[in-house]
Amino acid sequence: MADLVIRNGRFVYADGRVVEGDLHAVGGTVAAVTARGAHPASAGSEEVDAEGRYVLPGAIDPHVQFPPVGDFDHYATETRSAALGGVTTVLKMHRDLGGYDAAWFREELAGAERRAHIDFAFHLALMDDDQIARTAEYAAEFETSSFKLFIAYKGEEGRERNIGSVDDGQLLEAFEAVARIGAVALTHCENHDLATRCKQRVVAAGRDDLCAFNDSRPPLAEAEAVQRAALLARYAGCPLYVVHVSAKESVEYLAAAKASGQEVFIETMPHYLAVTCETPAGNLGKVNPPIRTREHTEALWRAFANGHVDTIGSDHVATSRASKQGTIWEAELGLPGVGTILPVLMSEGVNSGRISLGQLVAATSTNPARIFGLTRKGALVPGNDADLVIVDLELEREVRAEILGSAADQTIYEGQRLRGWPVLTVCRGVQVARDGELAGPEGHGRFIRRPLAA
């Protein structure tokens, strides 16, 4: 008996197929996608008429930051924003220089499952020798299969952000540890020493804007670290996932590494695709790596269209407008973005002819599910979780922070009109957002265990 039926949909798959018909879900799981009207409604089932609109698998944001706030408040507010934006699963970047233990895990899990609207998982950062040595232990105890490493934020810059940067020897040892257990290494690639010198020159010149910030952490700083990480990962036989790729040189090098047979995955973000450092948003756009110039946005779109970009993340941080005041050097890092992934990609990608709907589905759902072991996510096929989003490609809205549902009171897209928005988000068969409003309860979200293969 179907307890949810999506009628008259156009169901989109990563290979470009569009199947017209109905989707039947039972117990939160996809039971079948059938021809229209092939099965009558069952007593007590919930029916939704998609009215011929496209239905995508729920988006997966593989890169969010939920720093501790109150009573796990960010799991409530930021997964609310995700649900409104068509995202049904998030992977949180978790880091603690003090390490990870069972008490942390129990507390985080209980708090998150009590507050989250959608499903979630964790990446764990490896930031010192002890954490690297315990990689296999962490994977088994916390049922995770992905580990984050930083090639940036050395010294005080790192400590003030609770980040430990690894040196090249530690990086190689971490790659070897991750490879031994069959996990994936995520790497933040920026050459700290180059960035430090470049910032000194830019500040000395009296510059103070987002393009100055770009020049203080230039594409070269990212591209050099990308190449170094890729070389060491190749030597260690470790799958390498490079987070938030922003530079033309980086994506070109990584695409060549892929072509050579290396297991490399490229993540980029909507703000690197749709925004340049000349944006009127100014300080609101301060993020590492920086938002670049048009040359880099166009290179990333080409890589997306050519199939080189594997995933789209947001690096979502619910920063406030107040935290962005002062000079560009004083403004806080980070920007909110989980709620605007699909609207930006539909408006600036699909509706602008840069990418297809199938490519959007691949990068926002199917690929991250495959890379990160989300075995019941990523495609509208029988046996998978009934995670889906109905989108209206013609719906145009003005972006305002208050409609995005985040604790953040600002967005770099403020006032911009985007064409293409989610109108219904379903997570495991439950409607969690509908027509721009929250529809589901706190506590629906569940932790996704990702045990490594024996």
Side-chain angles (χ1 to χ4, degrees):
M1 292 177 58
D3 50 47
L4 176 68
V5 182
I6 306 296
R7 301 281 188 197
N8 304 316
R10 303 173 72 186
F11 301 94
V12 184
Y13 296 83
D15 60 7
R17 286 180 300 130
V18 177
V19 176
E20 298 189 14
D22 303 337
L23 181 145
H24 300 253
V26 177
T29 300
V30 176
V33 177
T34 69
R36 286 178 179 169
H39 293 284
S42 303
S45 66
E46 184 178 16
E47 292 210 22
V48 174
D49 187 352
E51 300 177 343
R53 289 175 290 205
Y54 290 102
V55 185
L56 319 180
I60 298 168
D61 187 342
H63 192 153
V64 301
Q65 315 279 353
F66 290 175
V69 175
D71 181 24
F72 294 92
D73 292 355
H74 271 33
Y75 277 99
T77 59
E78 307 320 296
T79 63
R80 174 180 65 196
S81 183
L84 292 170
V87 175
T88 54
T89 304
V90 292
L91 282 82
K92 175 194 173 185
M93 298 289 180
H94 191 85
R95 63 179 185 268
D96 190 336
L97 287 169
Y100 317 101
D101 58 23
W104 155 72
F105 187 61
R106 285 194 301 269
E107 183 180 9
E108 185 91 10
L109 199 57
E113 289 197 330
R114 182 165 45 82
R115 303 300 303 274
H117 293 276
I118 61 168
D119 292 346
F120 60 93
F122 305 134
H123 307 294
L124 290 187
L126 304 175
M127 298 181 289
D128 59 31
D129 289 338
D130 180 64
Q131 291 180 0
I132 293 168
R134 299 177 68 183
T135 301
E137 176 187 333
Y138 290 152
E141 185 170 6
F142 307 130
E143 296 184 87
T144 188
S145 58
S146 48
F147 296 90
K148 176 79 173 289
L149 296 146
F150 291 92
I151 316 176
Y153 301 119
K154 290 183 179 179
E156 184 58 32
E157 184 185 34
R159 284 190 293 273
E160 68 183 15
R161 292 179 171 83
N162 193 32
I163 292 174
S165 176
V166 296
D167 62 33
D168 290 348
Q170 290 172 313
L171 183 62
L172 177 59
E173 289 183 6
F175 284 158
E176 290 171 338
V178 170
R180 277 195 297 271
I181 61 174
V184 178
L186 298 83
T187 310
H188 176 140
C189 294
E190 288 183 286
N191 183 310
H192 177 90
D193 298 332
L194 279 176
T196 298
R197 290 288 183 172
C198 290
K199 179 181 177 181
Q200 290 170 352
R201 291 201 298 266
V202 173
V203 171
R207 298 177 58 197
D208 177 23
D209 57 30
L210 198 59
C211 287
F213 187 68
N214 169 43
D215 290 343
S216 79
R217 304 179 79 94
L220 176 62
E222 177 184 287
E224 187 280 331
V226 161
Q227 295 187 30
R228 182 161 29 106
L231 177 62
L232 293 176
R234 184 192 292 268
Y235 181 87
C238 181
L240 177 65
Y241 180 101
V242 184
V243 299
H244 47 50
V245 173
S246 68
K248 173 178 179 286
E249 296 85 352
S250 299
V251 76
E252 290 175 348
Y253 180 85
L254 291 170
K258 282 170 170 279
S260 74
Q262 185 172 0
E263 192 172 9
V264 174
F265 306 107
I266 300 172
E267 171 195 274
T268 193
M269 299 182 164
H271 49 268
Y272 298 130
L273 290 163
V275 181
T276 73
C277 65
E278 296 178 343
T279 172
N283 285 12
L284 299 183
K286 183 181 177 182
V287 65
N288 281 347
I291 290 172
R292 308 290 188 190
T293 61
R294 180 67 59 191
E295 173 190 12
H296 298 279
T297 65
E298 293 303 327
L300 289 169
W301 276 121
R302 287 194 299 273
F304 199 159
N306 291 335
H308 299 314
V309 170
D310 296 285
T311 67
I312 301 293
S314 68
D315 202 2
H316 177 92
V317 186
T319 45
S320 67
R321 184 173 291 273
S323 73
K324 295 289 192 173
Q325 300 307 303
T327 68
I328 192 66
W329 316 112
E330 296 167 332
E332 183 57 71
L333 282 167
L335 51 81
V338 68
T340 47
I341 292 173
L342 288 182
V344 170
L345 293 183
M346 286 189 287
S347 185
E348 303 304 306
V350 175
N351 280 327
S352 296
R354 290 185 170 108
I355 58 170
S356 69
L357 270 176
Q359 289 173 314
L360 182 149
V361 165
T364 61
S365 193
T366 305
N367 290 346
R370 171 179 53 82
I371 293 165
F372 294 118
L374 306 170
T375 56
R376 293 175 58 88
K377 308 290 187 182
L380 300 174
V381 296
N384 273 9
D385 289 343
D387 293 356
L388 59 90
V389 54
I390 299 176
V391 300
D392 186 340
L393 283 178
E394 300 307 316
L395 178 60
E396 186 173 298
R397 285 181 179 154
E398 179 182 318
V399 182
R400 291 177 287 111
E402 57 264 31
I403 74 172
L404 299 178
S406 169
D409 61 356
Q410 51 85 20
T411 168
I412 58 172
Y413 306 108
E414 188 77 37
Q416 186 173 340
R417 299 195 67 83
L418 299 177
R419 184 163 65 95
W421 287 82
V423 294
L424 179 72
T425 306
V426 173
C427 177
R428 282 181 289 104
V430 172
Q431 296 185 40
V432 292
R434 182 174 53 246
D435 295 326
E437 300 290 339
L438 195 65
E442 285 186 20
H444 175 67
R446 289 293 175 265
F447 174 61
I448 305 170
R449 288 170 166 79
R450 298 179 294 136
L452 293 165

